[in-house]
Amino acid sequence: MKNFCIILISSFLILTMILSCNEPKKTIKQEIDKGGTIENLERQILKDPKNSENYVLIANEYYKKGNFDLAMENYNKAISLNPSSYVSYHNTGFIYNKSGRFDKAIESFKKAVEIESNPNKLFDTLSLANAYKNKKDYDNAIKTYEDVFKIKSDCHLANEGLGIVYFEKNDINKAKQYLETAISIKPNMFTAYNNLGRIYQKEQNYSKAEEYFNKALEFNPEFARAFESIGNIEFEQSKYGKAIENYKSALKLDPGLFEANYKLGKILFINKKYDKALIYLKRASRINSKQSAELFILLGKLFMLNGDEYSAENNFKKALKVDPNQHEAYNLLAIIAQNRKDMELAIKYYEKAISPDNKDLTTFNNLAILYNKLGDYDKAVKTLEQVIKLSPDNIAAYLNLGIVHEKAEKYDLAIKCYQQVLKINPESTEALNNIGDSFEAKGDKSRAIEYYTKALKINPKLYKISTKLQALEKKG
């Protein structure tokens, strides 16, 4: 599921509310206004250490500098001095929400809403609803957005939030209804246009989706997510050239967009521009390390291509942390284990890759080959029979099963497997060669010569078969 634009209430709507009270706070504000250092602000606090609003002001400065830990520390000091500091509760909730700690965000926003003297209950209730939405607690999100309407019946942000929630619940009609209402309240609401476009994208109505994305750009030409969204619909239609253009436009405006980085990297990977792909995929992984198992698989493949199996292995393991059922990650880890000659570990990975919903027959074939190498005839046969059951015309499975029978000196069973290949593909020189080998192992030289000759009639350039045929003919 693609992420919708997150509705964020700027904390600075609230941060600026406390800048006009008593003289000690004013002194700190003057220090802020003249660009004073954090150290100077801390010294000012010492003059009035029990004034909670001073800690809020310093917390705001830390927040602006991106130092959220120290911002949080000072907001909490403000709360300890003044449990009714609704600004501190709002801003700690905002930090928790930004960092993905939605339970803590909900707790903070609830406390802000509960404070009777809070003049910003509309914003805090809306922020609480957004936190529920981000946590994917959609029932509580809906209830809380409805609480917003009790405060402001025509809140466009609450309508947009409900549109997003109903989209996530796959109630498309209600999603459209709320997003269209948001636009009717605020006709230039570019985020709502973008989210409506995403709904039409899901319905694969790409022309309608692009119409809404372009409408978003009409109202905000620097809205990076709209360029990303247009890139996404081009990507889904394999129009990679146009997708690249739009992703680059998006990233020029906002280098921190996950999907633009990820999908641009994926396109470059498809186009075999591996060095450039690595740059964008690495950036995507730094932006959101929990978003996509496929991202880590692509990174792992790139590292394998560069001969860095250690980094490849780490990325495949990261993929499994995101999605423990990622069969491809287990397959690739098995290949690395094979390269290291650790066949037992490779088998463990292949066995983990096999599950009822994994139809990748390569996994079964590779596992059977390993069983055969380790001399476990019964498991090799059983695994290949599973492949044939899933895919009755699987030539590779019949060939491998024949090889397993050959190794176990069960030549008649091997010949039956190779003959099954010839029913599917009468010109399989590999099957003809293997039948010849089996007859030769049985001591039936004439039948061996027969099948080697058939193979050479199809392809006279098969040197090894030609050599074997000449050797048998010399023996008479």
Side-chain angles (χ1 to χ4, degrees):
M1 179 64 65
K2 299 176 180 67
N3 291 327
F4 276 98
C5 302
I6 296 174
I7 302 172
L8 298 177
I9 305 303
S10 172
S11 59
F12 295 106
L13 289 172
I14 294 180
L15 302 185
T16 56
M17 291 185 56
I18 61 173
L19 300 180
S20 58
C21 288
N22 55 28
E23 184 60 30
K25 178 183 70 174
K26 187 176 180 182
T27 303
I28 285 189
K29 184 182 184 302
Q30 287 174 340
E31 189 68 41
I32 292 169
D33 289 344
K34 73 178 184 181
T37 64
I38 290 287
E39 291 78 7
N40 287 342
L41 298 177
E42 295 282 6
R43 280 196 289 272
Q44 290 290 343
I45 265 199
L46 294 175
K47 296 177 182 179
D48 190 6
K50 293 187 178 179
N51 189 326
S52 66
E53 292 176 357
N54 287 344
Y55 290 103
V56 174
L57 284 167
I58 287 183
N60 294 348
E61 293 306 301
Y62 278 122
Y63 178 89
K64 287 184 221 175
K65 293 179 183 298
N67 192 332
F68 300 128
D69 290 338
L70 283 175
M72 187 72 77
E73 182 183 318
N74 281 280
Y75 287 133
N76 285 330
K77 282 180 184 177
I79 290 168
S80 69
L81 290 167
N82 178 14
S84 296
S85 178
Y86 54 85
V87 174
S88 297
Y89 283 121
H90 173 88
N91 293 341
T92 54
F94 189 83
I95 292 171
Y96 284 133
N97 201 40
K98 188 179 178 71
S99 62
R101 299 171 68 185
F102 302 126
D103 285 328
K104 297 292 287 183
I106 288 165
E107 184 183 326
S108 290
F109 290 132
K110 273 185 176 179
K111 287 178 179 176
V113 170
E114 288 166 3
I115 295 169
E116 288 298 325
S117 61
N118 182 0
N120 299 292
K121 285 193 178 183
L122 171 64
F123 297 113
D124 287 320
T125 306
L126 187 58
S127 297
L128 176 59
N130 291 338
Y132 278 126
K133 171 177 65 65
N134 295 338
K135 187 190 170 187
K136 303 188 187 302
D137 183 350
Y138 297 131
D139 291 339
N140 274 317
I142 290 169
K143 179 180 177 298
T144 311
Y145 283 125
E146 288 171 350
D147 288 340
V148 173
F149 292 137
K150 293 175 186 176
I151 304 169
K152 182 176 172 60
S153 60
D154 62 344
C155 179
H156 60 285
L157 291 170
N159 276 288
E160 183 180 38
L162 280 167
I164 293 169
V165 167
Y166 280 113
F167 179 86
E168 297 290 347
K169 287 169 69 72
N170 209 31
D171 190 336
I172 300 301
N173 289 332
K174 277 191 176 180
K176 287 179 181 177
Q177 173 192 325
Y178 279 106
L179 289 167
E180 286 165 357
T181 301
I183 290 169
S184 71
I185 296 167
K186 187 174 182 181
N188 64 346
M189 192 176 185
F190 54 89
T191 55
Y193 282 110
N194 194 65
N195 287 325
L196 265 173
R198 287 178 179 266
I199 291 175
Y200 286 107
Q201 177 186 349
K202 184 179 180 181
E203 294 177 332
Q204 295 186 336
N205 187 342
Y206 295 122
S207 60
K208 192 75 172 175
E210 189 168 2
E211 179 185 326
Y212 278 104
F213 296 144
N214 282 321
K215 194 74 175 174
L217 287 170
E218 180 184 322
F219 288 113
N220 184 356
E222 295 189 352
F223 185 39
R225 284 193 181 276
F227 284 110
E228 181 183 55
S229 297
I230 295 171
N232 288 341
I233 60 175
E234 303 293 3
F235 180 90
E236 287 182 15
Q237 297 174 88
S238 300
K239 297 177 180 177
Y240 295 139
K242 289 183 178 180
I244 288 171
E245 287 177 19
N246 281 287
Y247 287 141
K248 285 185 175 179
S249 295
L251 293 172
K252 188 175 180 180
L253 293 165
D254 183 357
L257 292 175
F258 173 79
E259 278 194 284
N261 279 291
Y262 169 48
K263 289 182 178 174
L264 182 51
K266 191 172 180 180
I267 292 170
L268 292 167
F269 181 90
I270 291 167
N271 292 340
K272 298 183 179 180
K273 295 181 179 178
Y274 299 128
D275 291 340
K276 287 184 179 180
L278 189 59
I279 292 168
Y280 288 104
L281 292 173
K282 276 184 176 180
R283 189 184 294 166
S285 71
R286 288 193 295 269
I287 294 165
N288 191 338
S289 61
K290 298 178 181 179
Q291 184 81 10
S292 170
E294 187 186 13
L295 165 61
F296 292 113
I297 288 175
L298 286 174
L299 277 169
K301 287 178 177 179
L302 286 169
F303 284 120
M304 283 187 80
L305 287 167
N306 288 337
D308 185 354
E309 285 192 349
Y310 176 78
S311 295
E313 182 180 31
N314 284 340
N315 277 281
F316 297 142
K317 287 179 178 179
K318 285 178 184 178
L320 290 169
K321 283 184 181 179
V322 177
D323 179 7
N325 298 315
Q326 239 302 334
H327 312 121
E328 190 177 7
Y330 283 120
N331 283 335
L332 292 162
L333 284 168
I335 290 169
I336 290 173
Q338 281 181 265
N339 292 343
R340 295 171 180 170
K341 310 299 182 188
D342 190 342
M343 301 306 175
E344 289 185 6
L345 180 61
I347 283 174
K348 285 180 183 178
Y349 281 131
Y350 280 132
E351 286 175 340
K352 285 182 178 181
I354 291 174
S355 67
D357 62 329
N358 181 11
K359 304 301 182 185
D360 182 5
L361 302 180
T362 305
T363 304
F364 291 88
N365 270 316
N366 290 346
L367 179 58
I369 290 166
L370 277 182
Y371 282 141
N372 192 41
K373 282 183 179 178
L374 295 176
D376 196 332
Y377 168 79
D378 291 333
K379 282 187 177 179
V381 170
K382 185 178 178 182
T383 304
L384 288 165
E385 285 175 345
Q386 279 183 276
V387 177
I388 291 166
K389 186 177 180 181
L390 291 167
S391 177
D393 292 334
N394 193 293
I395 287 176
Y398 283 114
L399 286 170
N400 286 330
L401 185 55
I403 291 167
V404 170
H405 287 314
E406 263 194 89
K407 187 174 179 182
E409 298 183 357
K410 298 186 177 184
Y411 300 115
D412 290 334
L413 289 175
I415 289 167
K416 283 183 180 179
C417 290
Y418 300 138
Q419 286 174 335
Q420 191 64 38
V421 172
L422 293 174
K423 287 180 183 178
I424 302 164
N425 178 14
E427 295 193 346
S428 171
T429 55
E430 188 173 1
L432 291 166
N433 173 67
N434 291 355
I435 293 173
D437 288 345
S438 295
F439 277 122
E440 185 176 358
K442 287 179 68 175
D444 191 336
K445 293 178 184 177
S446 62
R447 296 300 302 278
I449 288 170
E450 176 189 342
Y451 280 92
Y452 290 148
T453 302
K454 285 181 180 180
L456 289 169
K457 279 184 180 178
I458 295 167
N459 185 355
K461 295 180 181 180
L462 294 171
Y463 175 76
K464 288 184 178 179
I465 297 177
S466 178
T467 303
K468 287 189 285 187
L469 179 59
Q470 289 173 14
L472 283 176
E473 287 175 338
K474 283 181 182 178
K475 290 179 182 178

